[in-house]
Amino acid sequence: MQLTTQPTGTPVTAAYWMSHAWLGTHVEPDVLLEVSDGRVAAVRTGVGTPPPGATVLRGLTLPGLANAHSHAFHRALRSTVQVGSGTFWTWRETMYRAAARLTPDTYYDLALATYAEMALAGITAVGEFHYVHHAPGGTPYANPNAMGEALIAAAAEAGIRITLLDTAYLAAGFGEQPDRHQLRFSDTTADAWAERASLLKGDGDLVVIGAAIHSVRAVPADQLATVAGWARERAVPLHVHLSEQTAENDACLAAHGRTPARLLADHGVLGPGTTGIHHTHLTAEDIELLGTSGTGTCMCPTTERDLADGIGPATELQRAGSPLSLGSDSHAVIDLFEEARAMELNERLRTRRRGHWTASALLEAASAGGHAALGRPGAGTLEPGAPADLATVALDSVRTAGPVPRLAAEAAVFAATAADVRHTVVAGRHLVRDGRHTRIDDVPGALASAVAALHA
């Protein structure tokens, strides 16, 4: 028996026996994981039978997955936006109509159901890119953070961790005032945004308060440094939509004579604490800027293909030094296995070559890479001291049955879906058991009700 422990002396409060566990580089059979105070206290290999009192997790157990980019209210758009044709810009009009119907109560209901769906998919932490701040028309609520606090409360009730990336969204475009849809997103200035965002409270564990710049078109260049400085002073994550659309790149070149990536670099936004979302349409210089600065890349392949955005240069970005993470963004589906394999399969289509990432590398992007982007370095591993967040994938479903156990990671990435997740554990607590959420009896019903409220 191999034993690794955390030298804390604190008592074990839970134990999980895993028939197979992915330990970062390989699949190991017969692993016992002990939990103390919500963290991994010990990892023991070669434990042939479950000890008395241990919870048995049969299948492949992974670190809890991290959804590094979410817009919870977009869950209401699923299927609705598949009628007809168009582009990102026509899709956006449907999104605006859904946003206009949100209240703190309806947003709580929708986010609760959406985060519960994430838990069922093995996701233990979400990065919520939050910009619906005010009432329609832009009037602040009596509690100026009513919407953000609704999201935090929803994540707590659903049982997952949240990094609330409070988003500065100040303009409709370069030199343009917010339109009628965007008034409820805008704090009018970055200073006013910072004043409101400073009132939000996190605990550094289950709740992290971070920042986001919606995009270079939505935050004037002379105010980018204010948002970046707010995040740097607090040592919290800073995210930004970057070069998702060629039209935005063209407008940025026309307004500033430089690409969005260069504009962000010139105003101090790029760096190890920053993650760019999408990075779809980049120049060679952009890739070098992002890589050498240590700026992360969050790919959202199911959304990028759903919106016909394009395929970003993920391999080149990683080689340049940009760490990778994954997100479900608009929630066309909520499935981090699909995001992971789509990143690889997109590259195969783009390059006509197979095998850009190993299954382990893709799982790392879906776990440790995402947690790091959300301000939890050290999470996303099954190692002593890490948060005791787990996701167990069935190895006996019609999708995963057949491969030998040593190929379980490949089966998870290239064949499994969110429907194959059998167990989810957050901070040592069994949140999803045998495919059922332990706190919310009817997640599909909660989703249907919350979505219907926005389409009534």
Side-chain angles (χ1 to χ4, degrees):
M1 177 189 297
Q2 180 183 350
L3 171 65
T4 57
T5 62
Q6 180 184 10
T8 62
T10 52
V12 171
T13 55
Y16 291 92
W17 183 87
M18 303 172 284
S19 62
H20 295 87
W22 177 68
L23 299 183
T25 57
H26 67 286
V27 175
E28 184 77 23
D30 303 334
V31 177
L32 181 68
L33 183 142
E34 297 178 348
V35 178
S36 176
D37 195 25
R39 293 187 172 269
V40 178
V43 180
R44 305 173 187 269
T45 60
V47 182
T49 57
T55 299
V56 175
L57 304 179
R58 296 198 181 277
L60 175 66
T61 298
L62 311 165
L65 306 178
N67 188 351
H69 188 64
S70 163
H71 302 290
F73 78 91
H74 289 189
R75 178 60 179 81
L77 305 178
R78 188 180 295 180
S79 298
T80 302
V81 291
Q82 302 304 342
V83 178
S85 61
T87 66
F88 167 85
W89 305 102
T90 52
W91 168 91
R92 192 173 70 158
E93 293 304 311
T94 305
M95 180 271 287
Y96 283 155
R97 289 195 292 272
R101 302 296 298 274
L102 292 170
T103 68
D105 288 340
T106 60
Y107 207 2
Y108 171 83
D109 291 340
L110 180 57
L112 172 60
T114 302
Y115 296 155
E117 181 182 356
M118 291 184 194
L120 290 170
I123 293 164
T124 59
V126 62
E128 185 60 41
F129 200 101
H130 165 54
Y131 56 82
V132 187
H133 300 304
H134 309 299
T139 301
Y141 290 103
N143 171 2
N145 284 307
M147 296 293 266
E149 290 177 7
L151 292 166
I152 292 170
E157 182 61 22
I160 69 173
R161 304 177 194 270
I162 186 171
T163 296
L164 187 74
L165 297 157
D166 196 279
T167 303
Y169 192 136
L170 309 175
F174 299 98
E176 299 178 19
Q177 294 299 309
D179 66 22
R180 61 186 180 85
H181 301 294
Q182 299 158 341
L183 287 172
R184 70 180 312 190
F185 308 161
S186 178
D187 291 295
T188 69
T189 68
D191 286 334
W193 166 84
E195 183 178 357
R196 180 188 52 73
S198 296
L199 301 175
L200 287 161
K201 303 298 181 186
D203 61 14
D205 186 18
L206 295 176
V207 179
V208 172
I209 304 300
I213 292 165
H214 180 273
S215 55
V216 293
R217 72 176 185 274
V219 177
D222 62 358
Q223 299 186 60
L224 292 169
T226 298
V227 184
W230 188 94
R232 300 284 186 264
E233 289 167 9
R234 291 161 174 77
V236 297
L238 173 64
H239 288 209
V240 55
H241 290 132
L242 178 57
S243 289
E244 181 180 5
Q245 297 292 324
T246 55
E248 179 178 86
N249 288 0
D250 294 343
C252 187
L253 285 166
H256 297 289
R258 66 200 82 179
T259 66
R262 170 53 71 183
L263 185 67
L264 293 176
D266 290 347
H267 289 274
V269 175
L270 303 186
T274 300
T275 298
I277 314 301
H278 303 304
H279 289 174
T280 309
H281 303 286
L282 301 176
T283 67
E285 182 191 12
D286 293 340
I287 293 170
E288 183 179 5
L289 278 172
L290 294 164
T292 56
S293 66
T295 301
T297 294
C298 179
M299 302 299 289
C300 306
T302 66
T303 291
E304 289 148 7
R305 71 189 183 198
D306 183 63
L307 298 182
D309 288 342
I311 300 170
T315 51
E316 290 94 330
L317 283 158
Q318 188 175 45
R319 281 198 298 268
S322 180
L324 297 180
S325 56
L326 296 166
S328 64
D329 192 0
S330 68
H331 311 316
V333 296
I334 293 177
D335 187 338
L336 265 290
F337 302 111
E338 178 62 22
E339 303 294 346
R341 69 171 156 266
M343 189 164 69
E344 166 65 26
L345 297 182
N346 282 352
E347 280 295 301
R348 294 182 185 185
L349 288 173
R350 190 170 73 93
T351 65
R352 292 180 290 174
R353 185 171 61 83
R354 302 176 77 243
H356 299 271
W357 292 278
T358 64
S360 286
L362 293 168
L363 286 175
E364 182 176 358
S367 55
H371 290 291
L374 298 181
R376 295 186 180 87
T381 66
L382 302 185
E383 297 179 358
D389 295 357
L390 314 173
T392 302
V393 181
L395 296 179
D396 57 358
S397 78
V398 293
R399 290 166 292 277
T400 59
V404 295
R406 68 179 176 81
L407 296 178
E410 285 76 10
V413 171
F414 291 102
T417 72
D420 294 311
V421 173
R422 292 292 175 264
H423 304 280
T424 304
V425 174
V426 179
R429 299 180 181 88
H430 209 155
L431 181 64
V432 172
R433 187 188 302 269
D434 296 321
R436 294 190 63 85
H437 201 289
T438 60
R439 296 185 179 186
I440 301 169
D441 291 335
D442 182 8
V443 176
L447 284 163
S449 176
V451 171
L454 296 188
H455 293 300

